[in-house]
Amino acid sequence: MITYSLNLVFRSKLRTFLTSLGITIAVILLSLIIFGMNGFKDVITGEFTSRFKPTEIVVSTTGFNFISPPSSDESEVKEPVRMTTEVIEEIRMLEGVKSIDPIVLVNGMQIKIKGETGVFSPSFIIGTDLAGDSSMFMGFEGDRNILNDGEAFVSEDIANFFNINNQDIIGKTVVFEASSGGLLGSQTKEQIGKSYEFEIIGVVDSGADRTDSVISIKEASEILAVTGGFDNGEEFLSLAGYDQLLLEANSEDDLESIKNFITDNYGLQTFSSEDVLEFLNLITAGITFVLIFFGLVSAFVASIGIINTMVMSIYEQTREIGINKAIGASNLQIMGIFLIQSGVIGLLGGILGMSIVFAVTTIADPFIVELLKEQGFNTEKYFTFDPITVIGIVIGCIVVGILAGIYPAIKAARLDPVKALRFE
Amino acid sequence: MMIEINKLTKKYRISRNNIVDAVNNLSFDIESGEVVTIIGPSGSGKSTLLNVLGGLDRDYDGEVKVDNKEIREYNSVYYRRNIVGTIFQQFYLIPALSVEENIALPFIFNTKISKKQSKRKVEELLEKVGLQDRRTHKPKELSGGQAQRVAIARALIADPKILLADEPTGNLDSKTGEEIMNLLLNLNKEVGTTLMIVTHDTELISDSQKIIHLKDGRLDKSKMK
């Protein structure tokens, strides 16, 4: 019966092909959504997990609202404290805290390299005493990974911007000047005419968070003290405090209690790898859900195409249905013949769609990877074909085909054999 | 007694107020293995009678018994599959299937028949109808006579007890028609199948053991043999 049904469906090859194209388009849409979103999630997750250990927590005064939306209940919101040296020492003493590395952000600076032309702006300069080869920085190149006074790391992006290779930029002098404006630029009276020079002792991968240069906390706080009108860096840190803390817990089991303590007692925002991954899952699931809805709409439209084709083929095969009934085909068998035909249309659409998706993604993958690398993401592959998903999609196409074939199949099975045999 | 028809009446509603009696109070018997010719002008009820006997039309009044059992008491699929075989005037072969596939078509739907059994039976029938050298041909590559032979082979594949032939020579020239009739009669003699032939060609009735004349859905007793 299967051979017979295949014979019927391939009798009108062009029509079968055109009908299956509807399914093909739905498959292309759905597959690109599913594999594209999986790739996006993998890239972001990979980038984050390579930079942060599962036992690390980032603490900040400013909220990570994109991860933990602020509570609408005013009573639950505690005014965040400034992350001063005193607060940091209190946190350091908490049970389960292994280490704390404070970070300050130096905004409003543009970057120059002495002896080179060009101005890099806007820039993201951080002050930290983290070693150059710590997990937060990737791809460190340099003879020494700890910054002394007057020394800085710069990112690979900076080296590329000034057309200098990583090894050659080491030893050169990086100059920070107050930005002359523009995006994220700011002018303060105290900074006008001032510049800060550092010897470059290492190069780090700028990463997706775009760290352009790293200097020690002490020197970053001195720059910020000038900007803010403080007497010195120490006063800045004791009054204004740090921007972020990179906290490492002894184990993942300690994370929750530390996070809760910091949030409840200091009103500070925290997030760990787990929070980010949960957030990513939520976001990608949300986007995927919306996009899949559109994909399903196209699958629905495709199924209407199949219904139309199958109803047309009932008219063409009416006499054959009559003959088959006359020679002993049951109603279920007549239904089966039509369901096999519509299922085959779905299968063809699925295979064709998956083949196109496979070809397109294979061609596009290197370009996407290159683009991501330019944006600081460290990935070798974007689209990953999961065989179970591929098989699932193809089976889904067969199911859509069969579902679309149910109405025509019932219509065919209910044909009166006498009328069907007389049909001209 | 093989077939017993008692007061068979079949009405068709042509429009809201127009009901036509296609067959009206028809009664006759047919013995097992008999060759019966049903003859009559167009609209006399021949095809309606065949549809009822073929198990295609179960909506009738009266009684039609085959082997002492009312047709409607048989499972309709079982009846069409095993009790009766039908040959149509227009052959009704499936254009996309080859000769041997067309002959084997009833067995596609009979899951109790293995491929091996089907193949053996097709071989046997190809030999009987003389189409061994046309087995892979498609219906459009056959002459009218050859196509009707295929239809006969298809009707016989399940060894039916009754073979119904609706104008089997209607679309054939007289020489080919005669050949087909001889084939049917030989098969009747050989296999012992009850053969009912519907025709309006009086030349074909000479070999019938029983001739049933129909007129306006009733027996035309004046012409009964």
Side-chain angles (χ1 to χ4, degrees):
Chain A
M1 205 166 85
I2 292 171
T3 318
Y4 176 61
S5 306
L6 291 177
N7 194 308
L8 292 177
V9 79
F10 288 117
R11 199 183 291 175
S12 306
K13 291 186 185 70
L14 181 63
R15 191 177 61 189
T16 299
F17 170 71
L18 291 174
T19 309
S20 67
L21 272 188
I23 292 283
T24 302
I25 291 164
V27 166
I28 292 172
L29 204 63
L30 280 168
S31 304
L32 287 178
I33 291 164
I34 292 169
F35 293 119
M37 288 311 291
N38 281 348
F40 172 74
K41 199 166 85 176
D42 289 347
V43 165
I44 302 284
T45 307
E47 176 68 18
F48 193 82
T49 51
S50 66
R51 284 171 184 272
F52 289 94
K53 296 175 194 165
T55 51
E56 282 180 339
I57 303 170
V58 175
V59 184
S60 173
T61 47
T62 50
F64 303 106
N65 288 348
F66 63 99
I67 294 170
S68 333
S71 169
S72 57
D73 184 355
E74 290 284 328
S75 64
E76 284 184 17
V77 180
K78 185 175 168 65
E79 187 70 23
V81 299
R82 291 184 181 278
M83 285 198 289
T84 59
T85 317
E86 192 184 333
V87 170
I88 286 172
E89 287 314 309
E90 281 175 26
I91 294 173
R92 199 190 297 278
M93 299 307 289
L94 290 176
E95 196 183 329
V97 174
K98 187 178 174 186
S99 65
I100 285 185
D101 287 294
I103 296 165
V104 289
L105 307 176
V106 182
N107 296 320
M109 290 286 168
Q110 57 191 27
I111 295 175
K112 291 179 178 174
I113 302 290
K114 213 166 187 180
E116 304 290 334
T117 53
V119 178
F120 187 92
S121 179
S123 68
F124 295 88
I125 301 166
I126 67 166
T128 178
D129 293 335
L130 280 163
D133 56 358
S134 76
S135 62
M136 193 170 164
F137 309 117
M138 293 176 72
F140 176 76
E141 288 181 53
D143 297 332
R144 193 153 43 75
N145 61 8
I146 299 292
L147 293 167
N148 291 328
D149 287 352
E151 292 177 342
F153 303 134
V154 291
S155 71
E156 202 174 355
D157 271 2
I158 295 289
N160 290 340
F161 179 80
F162 290 101
N163 281 323
I164 309 169
N165 69 43
N166 291 359
Q167 281 304 317
D168 292 344
I169 205 168
I170 294 172
K172 288 188 178 288
T173 302
V174 63
V175 182
F176 303 152
E177 291 174 354
S179 172
S180 53
L183 182 68
L184 299 181
S186 62
Q187 300 273 5
T188 64
K189 190 178 171 186
E190 289 76 6
Q191 290 289 17
I192 291 172
K194 282 200 170 63
S195 65
Y196 304 91
E197 294 186 359
F198 299 88
E199 185 195 350
I200 299 167
I201 66 156
V203 179
V204 293
D205 178 2
S206 65
D209 57 351
R210 286 286 311 275
T211 300
D212 297 316
S213 187
V214 184
I215 53 176
S216 70
I217 283 190
K218 189 183 159 212
E219 294 193 284
S221 62
E222 291 297 337
I223 296 173
L224 291 166
V226 173
T227 307
F230 294 88
D231 290 343
N232 52 42
E234 244 175 70
E235 188 190 41
F236 174 84
L237 292 176
S238 64
L239 293 175
Y242 298 88
D243 291 302
Q244 289 176 2
L245 302 180
L246 187 62
L247 185 154
E248 189 178 351
N250 286 326
S251 76
E252 286 183 55
D253 297 337
D254 296 320
L255 288 178
E256 208 52 40
S257 61
I258 294 172
K259 276 160 62 179
N260 287 343
F261 187 87
I262 292 172
T263 311
D264 295 346
N265 291 283
Y266 302 111
L268 297 169
Q269 299 288 328
T270 59
F271 76 86
S272 61
S273 301
E274 198 186 347
D275 294 328
V276 173
L277 297 182
E278 268 178 25
F279 171 72
L280 274 175
N281 281 335
L282 188 72
I283 287 291
T284 50
I287 297 172
T288 307
F289 180 78
V290 171
L291 294 177
I292 281 179
F293 173 76
F294 289 110
L296 290 177
V297 169
S298 69
F300 177 71
V301 173
S303 66
I304 290 174
I306 295 179
I307 293 171
N308 182 43
T309 297
M310 296 311 297
V311 169
M312 286 294 293
S313 78
I314 290 176
Y315 288 110
E316 286 174 9
Q317 294 169 29
T318 298
R319 189 174 283 176
E320 277 185 41
I321 295 166
I323 296 166
N324 289 335
K325 284 195 163 188
I327 63 174
S330 67
N331 287 354
L332 269 178
Q333 285 171 324
I334 299 290
M335 271 186 79
I337 290 169
F338 278 82
L339 292 177
I340 290 170
Q341 290 183 64
S342 59
V344 166
I345 291 174
L347 173 69
L348 287 176
I351 292 172
L352 186 62
M354 284 313 305
S355 307
I356 292 171
V357 168
F358 186 75
V360 167
T361 54
T362 305
I363 294 166
D365 204 76
F367 296 102
I368 294 172
V369 167
E370 189 60 36
L371 207 69
L372 287 168
K373 281 188 170 171
E374 279 174 20
Q375 296 302 315
F377 289 96
N378 190 22
T379 183
E380 295 305 322
K381 194 155 177 60
Y382 184 77
F383 292 106
T384 309
F385 276 86
D386 162 26
I388 291 172
T389 310
V390 172
I391 293 167
I393 289 173
V394 174
I395 290 173
C397 292
I398 298 171
V399 171
V400 167
I402 290 172
L403 289 176
I406 288 176
Y407 166 71
I410 292 172
K411 200 174 157 67
R414 282 185 179 166
L415 279 179
D416 177 353
V418 175
K419 287 179 184 165
L421 282 168
R422 283 195 193 132
F423 188 81
E424 292 295 335
Chain B
M1 193 180 301
M2 178 67 185
I3 301 170
E4 193 180 349
I5 296 172
N6 190 18
K7 294 180 180 172
L8 172 66
T9 300
K10 171 72 190 177
K11 296 176 194 295
Y12 283 110
R13 185 182 287 273
I14 294 172
S15 63
R16 184 177 285 183
N17 300 317
N18 192 3
I19 298 172
V20 172
D21 290 341
V23 176
N24 195 350
N25 219 20
L26 199 62
S27 299
F28 62 90
D29 300 335
I30 297 168
E31 295 299 326
S32 182
E34 255 185 340
V35 177
V36 180
T37 303
I38 300 168
I39 198 160
S42 180
S44 60
K46 304 189 299 287
S47 295
T48 302
L49 181 59
L50 276 201
N51 288 337
V52 170
L53 286 169
L56 301 176
D57 190 346
R58 293 159 74 91
D59 181 21
Y60 55 83
D61 295 322
E63 205 174 49
V64 181
K65 282 184 175 177
V66 171
D67 273 347
N68 295 320
K69 189 176 175 181
E70 163 65 39
I71 286 181
R72 287 174 292 201
E73 287 173 14
Y74 285 98
N75 173 292
S76 65
V77 171
Y78 172 84
Y79 181 82
R80 291 175 205 159
R81 213 176 260 177
N82 301 297
I83 307 285
V84 71
T86 310
I87 301 160
F88 303 95
Q89 181 181 354
Q90 295 92 341
F91 324 133
Y92 288 158
L93 301 179
I94 307 290
L97 302 183
S98 67
V99 165
E100 52 189 0
E101 286 166 341
N102 264 292
I103 295 172
L105 192 61
F107 280 174
I108 287 178
F109 303 112
N110 193 341
T111 49
K112 288 176 185 163
I113 306 292
S114 70
K115 275 191 176 174
K116 202 175 168 185
Q117 284 174 295
S118 171
K119 208 168 177 178
R120 200 175 57 228
K121 193 73 189 169
V122 168
E123 279 307 318
E124 187 189 304
L125 286 166
L126 277 171
E127 196 186 332
K128 270 185 187 163
V129 298
L131 287 174
Q132 295 102 314
D133 58 341
R134 292 280 187 274
R135 64 177 67 233
T136 57
H137 287 226
K138 294 281 163 65
K140 66 180 177 187
E141 297 164 335
L142 303 174
S143 66
Q146 288 169 335
Q148 194 59 295
R149 284 166 189 268
V150 176
I152 290 169
R154 182 181 64 190
L156 288 171
I157 195 161
D159 293 325
K161 292 178 179 176
I162 306 165
L163 184 60
L164 305 174
D166 186 4
E167 303 271 12
T169 60
N171 273 2
L172 306 173
D173 60 64
S174 57
K175 186 172 173 285
T176 315
E178 200 178 320
E179 282 172 18
I180 291 296
M181 278 308 296
N182 287 336
L183 176 66
L184 285 171
L185 294 168
N186 285 340
L187 288 169
N188 164 260
K189 278 178 196 159
E190 199 179 313
V191 188
T193 309
T194 304
L195 177 59
M196 285 187 74
I197 304 167
V198 164
T199 185
H200 60 265
D201 186 351
T202 47
E203 284 182 24
L204 296 177
I205 64 176
S206 56
D207 292 301
S208 298
Q209 284 134 13
K210 189 176 274 173
I211 299 167
I212 294 168
H213 285 266
L214 291 179
K215 191 179 177 186
D216 299 329
R218 295 170 185 271
L219 286 181
D220 187 355
K221 289 184 179 165
S222 63
K223 293 179 180 173
M224 295 291 278
K225 179 179 172 182

